[in-house]
Amino acid sequence: MTQAIDVMGAGAFGSALAIALSRDGSDVTLWARSSEQVAALRETREVARLPGVILPKELRITSDAGALGAPIRLLAIPMQALAQHLQLLPARGGTALVACCKGIDLSTGLGPTGLIARDAPGCVAAVLTGPSFAADIARGLPTALTLACADAQAGAKLQSALSTETLRLYRSTDPTGAELGGALKNVIAIAAGMVIGAGLGESARAALLTRGYVEMQRLALHMGARPETLAGLSGFGDMVLTATSGLSRNFTFGRALGAGSAPSQGATVEGRATARAVARIAADQGIDMPICTMVSAVLENTLTIEQATAALLARDLREE
């Protein structure tokens, strides 16, 4: 049975998901906000950030909100723009809204499913997250992600509808843990990039990833997440990929900062806003998150990388 799916957001990740699902036989509509972008995609059938990948001829592309009516809608929208898009493009009650973004909304402190619950209360809220690069998904390379939905029955249906031969989804009923893992690992990836860019070495990166993972668990458990979620694809797995690959936007952003270079402009670096949100939450709720707090301070230009490094190394000695 053909499954109808809408994908909001024609960036690299949204386009990659649309390509993979359409290629697998789903009836997919890809929505882009710009009519000019739609025209270019229809003419060339190519996405600039997915070189060498051709959009399937069956994949529909539109900027018309009225064309969106599938029972499943993937929201491949940057986190800080998600609330605006939920309000601009409301979904019918009962529609499954699957967030494909990672971060914490700066104005509310909510994650993706929290925003969906607030702005689309009649819809099913879920999040799709984990270690993945858009180009790998688009090229049909094996990729595993977490599909988290508090409603176990709805989550099972979404898992079946969104899995393909090469895109393997693992189901979870802990959206809080899944989305916090996906958000916090971006901050740790920026920090890891700073370490490498500043020439502090691979041993320092290993130590930072280990202690950064502790911070991810600390905040997530405080917010009601389950520890096994953070140990899975959406936490540990995503951190490993994002904090070690030169293809990671957050890592390369941090590496440029660490080397004293200007980061490239235009790419979405979700960890920047997430670091600010996490530092605020940690301060308000008394949660010890030194690495995330230092990343925020460096990004706010209140500390240099050298000062942040010295402050972390000067912390009291303790048991692991």
Side-chain angles (χ1 to χ4, degrees):
M1 179 179 176
T2 301
Q3 178 68 59
I5 301 170
D6 293 332
V7 179
M8 282 182 60
F13 198 68
S15 297
L17 289 172
I19 290 167
L21 292 166
S22 179
R23 191 184 287 145
D24 195 59
S26 292
D27 181 13
V28 182
T29 298
L30 177 63
W31 178 90
R33 187 167 187 172
S34 163
S35 57
E36 291 78 13
Q37 183 183 14
V38 169
L41 290 173
R42 286 175 175 171
E43 180 180 355
T44 66
R45 308 303 293 184
E46 295 180 352
V47 179
R49 289 172 55 191
L50 298 173
V53 178
I54 303 299
L55 297 175
K57 63 180 185 301
E58 299 84 4
L59 175 63
R60 290 186 300 277
I61 309 165
T62 185
S63 59
D64 178 12
L68 304 178
I72 299 173
R73 183 180 297 181
L74 306 187
L75 306 173
I77 303 294
M79 182 63 210
Q80 302 310 316
L82 180 60
Q84 178 187 16
H85 281 77
L86 285 170
Q87 293 160 8
L88 286 175
L89 298 170
R92 297 194 306 261
T95 301
L97 299 181
V98 183
C100 304
C101 49
K102 301 173 181 180
I104 298 172
D105 182 61
L106 272 174
S107 63
T108 64
L110 295 172
T113 57
L115 288 179
I116 293 170
R118 185 195 69 175
D119 295 335
C123 296
V124 175
V127 60
L128 183 63
T129 184
S132 58
F133 288 137
D136 291 345
I137 294 174
R139 294 188 179 108
L141 299 179
T143 305
L145 300 174
T146 296
L147 186 285
C149 181
D151 183 329
Q153 185 174 9
K157 291 180 179 178
L158 287 169
Q159 179 188 35
S160 177
L162 299 176
S163 294
T164 74
E165 289 185 356
T166 56
L167 184 60
R168 181 177 176 83
L169 304 190
Y170 286 82
R171 188 171 70 253
S172 170
T173 54
D174 182 18
T176 298
E179 62 189 21
L180 282 173
L184 295 170
K185 61 87 185 179
N186 283 333
V187 183
I188 303 305
I190 291 176
M194 291 178 180
V195 165
I196 297 303
L200 300 179
E202 295 290 351
S203 297
R205 173 161 59 177
L208 181 134
L209 294 184
T210 304
R211 300 309 303 169
Y213 180 62
V214 171
E215 290 190 23
M216 289 169 58
Q217 288 186 310
R218 189 176 293 147
L219 179 60
L221 297 182
H222 179 84
M223 303 295 285
R226 297 197 295 264
E228 61 267 25
T229 306
L230 273 293
L233 290 166
S234 58
F236 179 78
D238 209 357
M239 182 191 71
V240 169
L241 179 68
T242 311
T244 61
S245 173
L247 297 177
S248 161
R249 295 188 301 269
N250 288 279
F251 174 77
T252 54
F253 173 80
R255 185 175 60 188
L257 289 178
S261 306
S264 60
Q265 301 298 311
T268 299
V269 181
E270 295 279 21
R272 299 178 66 176
T274 303
R276 292 170 56 195
V278 169
R280 187 183 304 163
I281 293 170
D284 290 345
Q285 302 194 30
I287 307 170
D288 187 29
M289 307 217 29
I291 294 173
C292 292
T293 300
M294 292 299 176
V295 170
S296 177
V298 170
L299 297 179
E300 295 288 336
N301 295 314
T302 59
L303 282 180
T304 65
I305 292 177
E306 292 76 13
Q307 290 170 331
T309 301
L312 288 171
L313 291 174
R315 282 168 55 84
D316 292 342
L317 299 177
R318 62 189 65 196
E319 290 184 339
E320 187 170 29

